[in-house]
Amino acid sequence: MKKILIINSNYYRNVSKNLVLDTRKKLNAAKFKISIMDVPGIYEIPITIRKNIKKFDGFVALGCVIRGQTPHFDLICSSTFNAILNLSINFNKPIGNGIITALNMSQAISRSKKKNNTKSKGSEAANAVISILKNGPKKV
């Protein structure tokens, strides 16, 4: 059974709770073994993945960053997303990025929940990992 680590930045708890619930539901349905680690912010996600890279088959990064009045948003998002991509490529492990980048809390909450036929950012990230781990090359 494939093992997945969900790294949950719980800085905005009402957003991350929704993301975790949807992600767990999707990964459970796909029959993966799931572990969860909470971190204080998204900046701690890459080091948490790196420390656990050999223990898991894939990862799902969850969290939220809301744009403020300073360049902090751009710097944190850019460096975190680049680090996640580099880890995935360098270690050949799928990492679903379910980190919400939003302009305000209302937008963040909306993107963290599944509504009607839309997927939450968490289930989208889980789908990315599932598709890589379950789908191999097909003979033509």
Side-chain angles (χ1 to χ4, degrees):
M1 179 178 283
K2 300 282 187 186
K3 297 188 307 184
I4 305 298
L5 177 61
I6 298 171
I7 305 93
N8 174 45
S9 164
N10 57 12
Y11 188 82
Y12 295 107
R13 291 186 192 277
N14 54 340
V15 174
S16 66
K17 183 179 101 177
N18 294 334
L19 291 170
V20 169
L21 287 173
D22 227 16
T23 303
R24 287 182 66 181
K25 183 187 293 184
K26 185 63 84 172
L27 292 172
N28 279 328
K31 308 286 190 226
F32 286 106
K33 184 176 181 187
I34 304 165
S35 297
I36 298 175
M37 286 187 75
D38 289 329
V39 295
I42 71 157
Y43 204 66
E44 291 76 31
I45 291 173
I47 189 63
T48 304
I49 293 171
R50 177 62 186 100
K51 286 177 73 174
N52 292 280
I53 202 82
K54 293 182 180 178
K55 299 175 193 169
F56 294 90
D57 300 296
F59 301 85
V60 178
L62 301 176
C64 176
V65 184
I66 298 176
R67 182 179 291 281
Q69 304 275 332
T70 68
H72 183 258
F73 174 92
D74 298 312
L75 298 170
I76 292 293
C77 292
S78 179
S79 59
T80 301
F81 287 24
N82 285 333
I84 289 171
L85 179 60
N86 287 333
L87 285 166
S88 181
I89 291 168
N90 291 335
F91 290 94
N92 201 28
K93 300 268 181 136
I95 304 172
N97 186 344
I99 299 170
I100 293 172
T101 55
L103 300 177
N104 54 55
M105 182 57 77
S106 174
Q107 190 181 62
I109 290 171
S110 175
R111 294 183 66 207
S112 73
K113 293 180 181 178
K114 183 178 179 179
K115 290 185 203 169
N116 303 326
N117 290 331
T118 64
K119 297 175 185 167
S120 76
K121 192 74 169 160
S123 67
E124 288 175 1
N127 277 338
V129 173
I130 292 165
S131 71
I132 292 168
L133 291 176
K134 288 208 169 187
N135 297 327
K138 294 179 176 57
K139 292 185 180 184
V140 184

